[in-house]
Amino acid sequence: MAVNFLSNQQARRLFLDRHLLLRPGTGNGKTGDLARLLDDLGFVQVDSVNTLARAHDLILWARRGQYRPRSLELAVGRDRTAFEHWTHDAAVIPMQFYPMWRLKFQRDEAHMRQRWPVWRREGWQAQIDQVMQHVTDHGATCSLDVGPDEKRASGGWWDWHPSKTALEFLWRSGQLAVCHRQGFRKFYDLSQRVIPADHFAPQPDLEQVIDWAMMAAMQRLGFATNGELAAFFDIATPAEAKGWCTRALAEGRVVPVDIELADGSLRRSLSTPDLLEQVASLPEPSGRVRLLSPFDPALRDRGRAERLFGFRYRIEIFVPAAKRRYGYYVFPVMQGDRLIGRLDARRQDDMLAITAFWPEPGIRMGKARLAGLEAELTRLLPFAGLQGMSHAAGWLRDGPPPGGPS
């Protein structure tokens, strides 16, 4: 079987186009446009850290400059065009994918029953039943509404009290759904009262789910190994993904392709004939400098980002301050089809405080590129509800700080 080839530049551009980062973004980031955006991405990761903007909001803003956080809140809490659950982590997911998540609900429940230490506690099932009855009787429920007299756990399970843990179990197993949030606090209700009937009723079989998950992942990655396909939605097991790739390759639905990596080596992957045909017609990348969330879908797979872009990124939230190389929460910065640096910035009152920008090796911060970075930060201000920005002395560095990569 002939093996196709993508140069590193071609591979980067196909990957970024699949992630809506190659071309200038259009659309208002509301209602129907937001639903299409979520569908194109597959999901957006939800994260609570808010040094400047929450991860899910920055992901969407990077692609739709008019997007505002209220739109995603309405998509989940009012319009029901999206739901919250897990891929590799907590995420907002297009509502039309809900039937495919039934397999994940089942597998997550089995995993929790096997691995969560709380199952060794006497009366744990009764605790779950009690919380489920409360939600059934009272509707929208948050962790403050259950177990008010319970003690928090000491050192583990995020210091959850037992009823909060029960809510999490019922949500992860699909019995409850997030009906809305207040601030960042989740409110849960019975899934059948949250999920629209036409999405709640279908129950696809295993083969349908695996086939959908693999092909949907391929369409959003552009090319991938069987392991990368399995990890995208984290629905299929590695063995299921490998079996699907073998069958799809024999049927001609996917074809082999060698991907040139940033270091010049080749990585054997799979793609589809249609995706490979698109490469020749991809436009030159937008010249916009883009501030990305550390959890942007284009960077979520840290190994893939390093292989493809030569950009090694590790978030340092959990690294002791004295041992951090860059900072607590540093934003990757992209221009065109390259990652050009990292920005340490945060909100201070109503200002955007710029602490440092470290260009990547080989990146020269000339007048035009600096102007592009300043323009991106200026665009960010109304989105983040800020009035202006300040720059620390010496904020523009010559290159990465000394020490090993992080």
Side-chain angles (χ1 to χ4, degrees):
M1 181 180 293
V3 178
N4 299 275
F5 171 79
L6 290 182
S7 70
N8 183 246
Q9 184 182 75
Q10 289 174 321
R12 281 186 276 121
R13 292 185 177 184
L14 176 58
F15 177 63
L16 292 176
D17 196 51
R18 296 283 89 195
H19 283 74
L20 309 182
L21 290 173
L22 190 70
R23 315 169 196 238
T26 60
N28 60 15
K30 300 177 182 178
T31 56
D33 180 62
L34 178 58
R36 289 186 292 273
L37 178 58
L38 287 172
D39 182 78
D40 286 342
L41 293 175
F43 63 89
V44 291
Q45 182 173 337
V46 175
D47 190 75
S48 61
V49 177
N50 191 14
T51 59
L52 180 55
R54 298 199 192 276
H56 42 287
D57 293 322
L58 189 56
I59 290 167
L60 297 169
W61 177 82
R63 292 152 174 86
R64 295 289 191 273
Q66 297 182 56
Y67 166 81
R68 295 295 182 268
R70 179 64 175 159
S71 295
L72 192 64
E73 294 173 10
L74 294 176
V76 174
R78 184 193 69 184
D79 302 334
R80 306 300 192 209
T81 55
F83 69 101
E84 291 195 35
H85 206 262
W86 278 63
T87 53
H88 66 291
D89 209 321
V92 175
I93 304 160
M95 185 62 76
Q96 64 269 26
F97 296 177
Y98 186 86
M100 304 303 175
W101 251 251
R102 289 191 176 279
L103 177 61
K104 192 165 183 62
F105 299 154
Q106 296 166 8
R107 290 179 170 178
D108 279 4
E109 178 172 356
H111 177 84
M112 290 184 292
R113 288 184 181 276
Q114 181 180 12
R115 300 291 180 87
W116 280 24
V118 293
W119 283 105
R120 292 191 286 273
R121 297 179 187 169
E122 184 178 351
W124 174 236
Q125 184 61 56
Q127 183 90 47
I128 290 176
D129 294 342
Q130 180 180 344
V131 170
M132 186 68 171
Q133 190 62 53
H134 176 93
V135 178
T136 300
D137 294 342
H138 299 282
T141 297
C142 73
S143 58
L144 298 178
D145 299 324
V146 291
D149 299 324
E150 296 171 357
K151 292 183 179 180
R152 289 177 175 269
S154 57
W157 300 109
W158 301 274
D159 287 335
W160 291 347
H161 58 70
S163 293
K164 164 60 178 171
T165 308
L167 278 173
E168 185 76 8
F169 173 87
L170 291 165
W171 172 54
R172 291 285 299 274
S173 61
Q175 298 172 71
L176 300 182
V178 174
C179 56
H180 65 274
R181 286 181 182 259
Q182 287 183 8
F184 203 66
R185 187 177 299 281
K186 295 196 293 277
F187 282 74
Y188 309 84
D189 203 347
L190 301 181
S191 294
Q192 60 267 37
R193 296 201 293 228
V194 175
I195 307 302
D198 56 340
H199 297 300
F200 186 77
Q203 300 196 30
D205 61 29
L206 176 63
E207 184 176 349
Q208 290 175 304
V209 174
I210 300 305
D211 186 67
W212 174 86
M214 294 298 96
M215 189 55 77
M218 181 70 80
Q219 291 297 321
R220 288 158 180 82
L221 290 170
F223 53 87
T225 64
N226 59 279
E228 290 168 337
L229 291 174
F232 187 81
F233 287 119
D234 196 28
I235 292 177
T237 67
E240 289 166 342
K242 185 175 182 179
W244 181 89
C245 288
T246 299
R247 293 190 298 275
L249 194 60
E251 296 164 0
R253 298 175 65 195
V254 300
V255 293
V257 56
D258 281 338
I259 304 298
E260 182 184 26
L261 305 180
D263 64 3
S265 63
L266 299 180
R267 182 175 173 86
R268 179 64 54 86
S269 298
L270 298 172
S271 188
T272 70
D274 288 346
L275 285 167
L276 294 178
E277 285 179 10
Q278 295 175 24
V279 173
S281 59
L282 289 175
E284 290 293 310
S286 164
R288 172 184 166 184
V289 174
R290 297 179 192 261
L291 189 72
L292 300 181
S293 163
F295 301 106
D296 194 279
L299 302 171
R300 179 193 66 81
D301 185 336
R302 307 292 195 214
R304 183 179 174 101
E306 186 172 353
R307 290 189 294 269
L308 199 56
F309 296 98
F311 184 80
R312 180 179 172 83
Y313 182 88
R314 300 294 184 270
I315 197 161
E316 297 182 285
I317 288 175
F318 303 110
V319 176
K323 296 184 178 181
R324 291 179 190 139
R325 188 179 183 203
Y326 292 99
Y328 175 79
Y329 196 85
V330 172
F331 299 91
V333 179
M334 173 174 283
Q335 184 180 34
D337 57 10
R338 302 175 69 183
L339 285 151
I340 64 169
R342 305 156 203 250
L343 184 78
D344 186 3
R346 66 194 63 216
R347 64 173 63 245
Q348 286 185 355
D349 299 321
D350 62 350
M351 298 292 288
L352 173 61
I354 310 298
T355 302
F357 176 80
W358 296 272
E360 284 292 283
I363 295 296
R364 180 177 175 274
M365 295 303 293
K367 289 183 179 180
R369 186 167 276 147
L370 268 175
L373 177 59
E374 291 289 333
E376 176 76 347
L377 298 177
T378 299
R379 280 191 292 267
L380 181 71
L381 297 179
F383 163 71
L386 301 174
Q387 299 301 312
M389 69 179 93
S390 63
H391 299 73
W395 71 275
L396 181 59
R397 310 298 172 86
D398 294 330
S406 64

